[in-house]
Amino acid sequence: KMNTEGEDYEESVESVCDVEQWALILALRRIIGDFDSLGYNRGKNNYIYQRPSDGRWVLIPWDMDWLLGNNRPPDDNLFSGNQPAINGKFLVYPKFRRLYLRALSDLVHGPFQTSYGTDNPPTPLDRELEVNYQILRAELGSRVQSPDWSDGWGIKRWIKARREYVLSQIPDNPFQITTNDGRDFSTSEAIVLISGTAPFEIDDVKVAVNGEV
């Protein structure tokens, strides 16, 4: 189904995959630089589970250890990879690409933030990193690097740079009707296709006709 060609592609993929969940997992693993995963450079380290409630397949990540600056630079590409069904089709198809970019946007405006290099208080991610650092430090001693390490790509420094890069790659899509160049128009047709752009946070647009949605 992921390799379906032509106009049936969208319907075929959505019939077997929870596309929003796939977009989120792909975005999560990409943003943390987990190159050793499905949809990145290695094409592995994912279980694919068929959900009993609707029969659609979802991704369950595992073996996440090459990440957060451990292997990839903070400006590592958000779309490249060697799995044609994902990198050459799923992430290119406009509807699914939008879901992927929205997931990236949700991450950089949500949990994927650090106060590193600023006077701002620690973020939830900063606090989580510190807790885990102290646990590992107690067990392994000086072999464990502080997340605040600044000589090279310490974790917080990498997260800050990665977030800035991702933000630079997410298009600014204002809400805009492009049909008829955005000008008012009237029609006697029963069905009208209205095109335009909208921020990634917008999931759907409702139109009121004669006061009814």
Side-chain angles (χ1 to χ4, degrees):
K1 295 288 188 176
M2 296 290 286
N3 287 306
T4 300
E5 298 290 343
E7 61 183 19
D8 294 330
Y9 174 71
E10 180 180 325
E11 183 178 353
S12 295
V13 173
E14 290 183 333
S15 71
V16 294
C17 298
D18 182 338
V19 292
E20 289 197 39
Q21 195 269 350
W22 277 60
L24 175 59
I25 296 301
L26 293 173
L28 173 62
R29 301 195 79 167
R30 180 70 64 154
I31 202 173
I32 61 177
D34 184 14
F35 82 102
D36 194 25
S37 65
L38 184 70
Y40 216 146
N41 288 4
R42 300 290 289 275
K44 59 176 187 173
N45 293 336
N46 263 291
Y47 291 107
I48 303 180
Y49 171 71
Q50 189 174 30
R51 194 166 51 203
S53 60
D54 60 6
R56 293 194 295 170
W57 296 86
V58 296
L59 298 178
I60 301 178
W62 73 286
D63 191 21
M64 300 169 69
D65 51 2
W66 291 90
L67 45 87
L68 296 177
N70 196 14
N71 185 273
R72 311 304 295 179
D75 61 350
D76 199 36
N77 189 279
L78 299 177
F79 293 91
S80 63
N82 58 9
Q83 295 109 72
I86 294 178
N87 306 103
K89 292 182 72 71
F90 185 83
L91 294 179
V92 173
Y93 187 74
K95 181 177 181 179
F96 304 150
R97 182 184 181 93
R98 180 180 175 86
L99 292 175
Y100 177 68
L101 288 169
R102 184 169 69 188
L104 288 169
S105 179
D106 288 344
L107 288 166
V108 295
H109 290 102
F112 198 72
Q113 298 189 60
T114 177
S115 63
Y116 178 85
T118 73
D119 294 328
N120 298 327
T123 66
L125 180 55
D126 289 331
R127 293 193 290 270
E128 188 66 27
L129 289 171
E130 185 62 29
V131 167
N132 284 278
Y133 168 66
Q134 294 300 335
I135 292 172
L136 292 171
R137 179 84 178 186
E139 182 176 341
L140 301 174
S142 60
R143 287 179 292 169
V144 181
Q145 210 173 74
S146 167
D148 290 301
W149 185 57
S150 60
D151 184 11
W153 288 116
I155 291 178
K156 289 184 182 179
R157 185 182 178 203
W158 188 90
I159 290 172
K160 182 175 186 291
R162 182 62 167 165
R163 181 176 183 271
E164 291 171 351
Y165 172 74
V166 173
L167 283 168
S168 75
Q169 300 301 300
I170 298 176
D172 180 19
N173 287 342
F175 182 80
Q176 183 178 11
I177 300 297
T178 56
T179 301
N180 197 41
D181 293 327
R183 300 190 302 271
D184 292 347
F185 69 97
S186 60
T187 179
S188 59
E189 298 293 329
I191 299 177
V192 178
L193 176 63
I194 299 178
S195 302
T197 62
F200 291 109
E201 296 78 14
I202 302 298
D203 189 43
D204 56 34
V205 176
K206 296 181 179 180
V207 178
V209 179
N210 297 325
E212 296 184 8
V213 177

